[in-house]
Amino acid sequence: MAAKDLSTMYGLSESDPEQKLINRAGMSASDLEQIDRIMAEMGRMRQIERRIMRSSQEFMKLNETDMRALRKIISAKHAGRSVTPGELSQYLGISSASVTKMIDRLEAHGHVLRTKHPTDRRSQCVEVTEETHLAARDQVGRHHAKRFEAASRLSSEERDVVIKFLAGTSDAMESSLGSPLDDDAR
């Protein structure tokens, strides 16, 4: 793959010119150039992911929390599970009242249905409508399929290196926050 001109605010010269955060001792110019390229590609991927998310939100006329809720409901459906409003509240980190308003809004726009819980008659479940499920697959699923295609073109050894890098990066970034990530990011 030919090198692209990928400027980034995360490059070493832009983010740490005085080497106060990152010790570069013993690293060759070639190593530093490769690391800058990795940072630039990660930045480019984040920008593309934000464009995809905005496009999907605009197409489906939903906000980010609505999209996260639908992903949770769709994932549960694929796993043969139901989702309750309480589970959505915990997953999204929002109050029960906010979840109720969100479900009301999503139901009014034809995105979800409330159904009886299969084992607890006092509880309700939330299910995605077939139309919204198909729209989400077309909008978000096709982008996810492209990620899969890129990963499938790598050898097993190359995938191990990518896994090690991404897991190590996630662990390092998470440790800088001091608290674990929610399930949505995993």
Side-chain angles (χ1 to χ4, degrees), residues 91-156:
Y91 175 73
L92 298 170
I94 60 177
S95 70
S96 296
S98 294
V99 167
T100 299
K101 288 179 185 178
M102 178 189 69
I103 293 170
D104 289 345
R105 186 178 62 253
L106 291 173
E107 189 174 43
H109 288 94
H111 293 295
V112 299
L113 302 169
R114 287 181 169 97
T115 60
K116 292 180 182 178
H117 194 282
T119 59
D120 182 356
R121 62 188 179 138
R122 297 169 296 155
S123 186
Q124 291 183 333
C125 291
V126 184
E127 295 180 5
V128 67
T129 63
E130 189 61 26
E131 181 180 87
T132 294
H133 189 186
L134 291 174
R137 186 184 66 203
D138 290 346
Q139 282 296 303
V140 179
R142 67 185 158 108
H143 300 296
H144 186 64
K146 293 298 184 185
R147 288 185 189 133
F148 180 88
E149 288 173 15
S152 71
R153 288 190 295 267
L154 300 174
S155 70
S156 176

Side-chain angles (χ1 to χ4, degrees), residues 4-183:
K4 297 177 182 176
D5 178 26
L6 297 172
S7 58
T8 177
M9 66 181 164
Y10 301 108
L12 292 173
S13 61
E14 293 89 349
S15 64
D16 188 30
E18 289 90 30
Q19 298 188 43
K20 292 184 180 190
L21 297 172
I22 302 166
N23 181 354
R24 304 194 251 316
M27 298 191 80
S28 71
S30 173
D31 289 342
L32 294 172
E33 188 177 310
Q34 275 187 310
I35 293 169
D36 263 356
R37 177 72 194 274
I38 290 169
M39 297 299 112
E41 288 292 352
M42 289 175 68
R44 184 170 79 104
M45 188 168 69
R46 281 191 298 272
Q47 288 175 340
I48 293 167
E49 286 176 334
R50 284 192 293 271
R51 284 178 37 214
I52 289 168
M53 183 56 68
R54 281 193 303 271
S55 172
S56 297
Q57 289 171 342
E58 288 171 14
F59 176 79
M60 297 178 75
K61 296 178 180 35
L62 300 170
N63 65 39
E64 183 178 345
T65 302
D66 296 344
M67 292 291 285
R68 288 183 63 217
L70 289 177
R71 278 196 304 271
K72 176 73 171 173
I73 296 165
I74 290 169
S75 289
K77 179 180 179 175
H78 289 163
R81 292 183 292 105
S82 300
V83 175
T84 65
E87 287 175 77
L88 285 176
S89 174
Q90 184 177 12
Y91 175 73
L92 298 170
I94 60 177
S95 70
S96 296
S98 294
V99 167
T100 299
K101 288 179 185 178
M102 178 189 69
I103 293 170
D104 289 345
R105 186 178 62 253
L106 291 173
E107 189 174 43
H109 288 94
H111 293 295
V112 299
L113 302 169
R114 287 181 169 97
T115 60
K116 292 180 182 178
H117 194 282
T119 59
D120 182 356
R121 62 188 179 138
R122 297 169 296 155
S123 186
Q124 291 183 333
C125 291
V126 184
E127 295 180 5
V128 67
T129 63
E130 189 61 26
E131 181 180 87
T132 294
H133 189 186
L134 291 174
R137 186 184 66 203
D138 290 346
Q139 282 296 303
V140 179
R142 67 185 158 108
H143 300 296
H144 186 64
K146 293 298 184 185
R147 288 185 189 133
F148 180 88
E149 288 173 15
S152 71
R153 288 190 295 267
L154 300 174
S155 70
S156 176
E157 294 80 14
E158 290 170 326
R159 283 191 293 272
D160 282 340
V161 170
V162 171
I163 291 166
K164 182 179 176 181
F165 169 72
L166 293 174
T169 300
S170 295
D171 290 346
M173 291 174 68
E174 187 174 36
S175 73
S176 74
L177 291 172
S179 64
L181 291 173
D182 63 43
D183 290 339

